[in-house]
Amino acid sequence: MKTRPRLIPTIALALLLSSGCLGGKSAQMQAAAQKRTYVPVASAAQPVTPAPGFAAVKIRPFRALPPFDARAFIVRRAGGEFAVDFYNGWIVAPQELVRVQTQRYLEEAGLFAAVYDADSGTLAPLSVEGVVSELYLDYAGAEPAAVVTLRLLVLNERASDFTVLFSAEKSARVTFKTEDSNAPAQAFGAALTQTLDALTRALAAAPLPKTAR
């Protein structure tokens, strides 16, 4: 007489595997729920006086040097070690966020006759490129700090070789308190503000083409 196969262990195993998968998914969902995303917000720029009256400019796409092009915050630890903060990061690519903040800052500063976005169909005589050289949280020192380093280049759009008319790199470091979870993002915004302010002052003194009178 043939015996019927025992189904109970099989069912139990299936339930066990199912609960394991659900447990894994639940842990992933909990970890994802703890992630926070930010935008580095620079303070409003003060208009430059007297205004230099530079020709109109178009803001080209920016790029960030690795590893600072990551969506997650990059952290520097003791000994020069760099790591990724899984729980905190940027809502989109950081170079795009810095580009938008730079465009707004230059508009408010009033250096150029007009400031156009990269997607604009307007042909401007000048353009600006940006390189985010550093963008990280430094925990290696006595106080944690946000570090921002940005290079701006002004190009002659009317030259066949897009001649570089201006190039400068500025950096800022702003400390923060670890008790406030939002403090690192706010420190990034303050560091970006200081960096843009220094670049704007350097730009104002540059011998760039001016609008025709």
Side-chain angles (χ1 to χ4, degrees), residues 160-175:
S160 58
D161 57 353
F162 296 98
T163 308
V164 177
L165 302 176
F166 169 87
S167 177
E169 184 175 81
K170 301 296 180 180
S171 183
R173 178 187 182 88
V174 174
T175 60

Side-chain angles (χ1 to χ4, degrees), residues 16 89 130 147 176:
L16 200 61
V147 177
F176 61 89

Side-chain angles (χ1 to χ4, degrees), residues 20-157:
C21 291
L22 290 174
K25 287 182 180 178
S26 177
Q28 291 176 359
M29 290 174 65
Q30 289 177 2
Q34 295 176 21
K35 293 182 100 172
R36 305 183 71 183
T37 53
Y38 298 91
V39 172
V41 179
S43 300
Q46 295 299 317
V48 175
T49 53
F54 296 145
V57 68
K58 178 177 286 191
I59 308 299
R60 286 172 169 261
F62 281 24
R63 64 188 179 93
L65 301 181
F68 310 113
D69 55 348
R71 287 272 300 274
F73 283 179
I74 301 299
V75 176
R76 181 175 181 264
R77 298 171 176 169
E81 177 193 7
F82 281 86
V84 173
D85 183 346
F86 177 80
Y87 293 101
N88 297 283
W90 307 113
I91 194 166
V92 297
Q95 60 269 26
E96 180 62 15
L97 295 174
V98 172
R99 184 190 71 83
V100 171
Q101 293 296 310
T102 301
Q103 178 174 329
R104 180 178 63 82
Y105 201 89
L106 291 178
E107 286 175 338
E108 294 169 344
L111 295 175
F112 301 92
V115 179
Y116 299 108
D117 187 76
D119 294 330
S120 171
T122 303
L123 298 177
L126 302 175
S127 65
V128 168
E129 289 185 350
V131 180
V132 182
S133 305
E134 292 179 314
L135 188 70
Y136 66 93
L137 298 174
D138 192 355
Y139 287 92
E143 290 184 287
V147 177
V148 175
T149 302
L150 176 64
R151 173 173 291 277
L152 292 184
L153 300 93
V154 178
L155 310 179
N156 183 355
E157 287 284 322

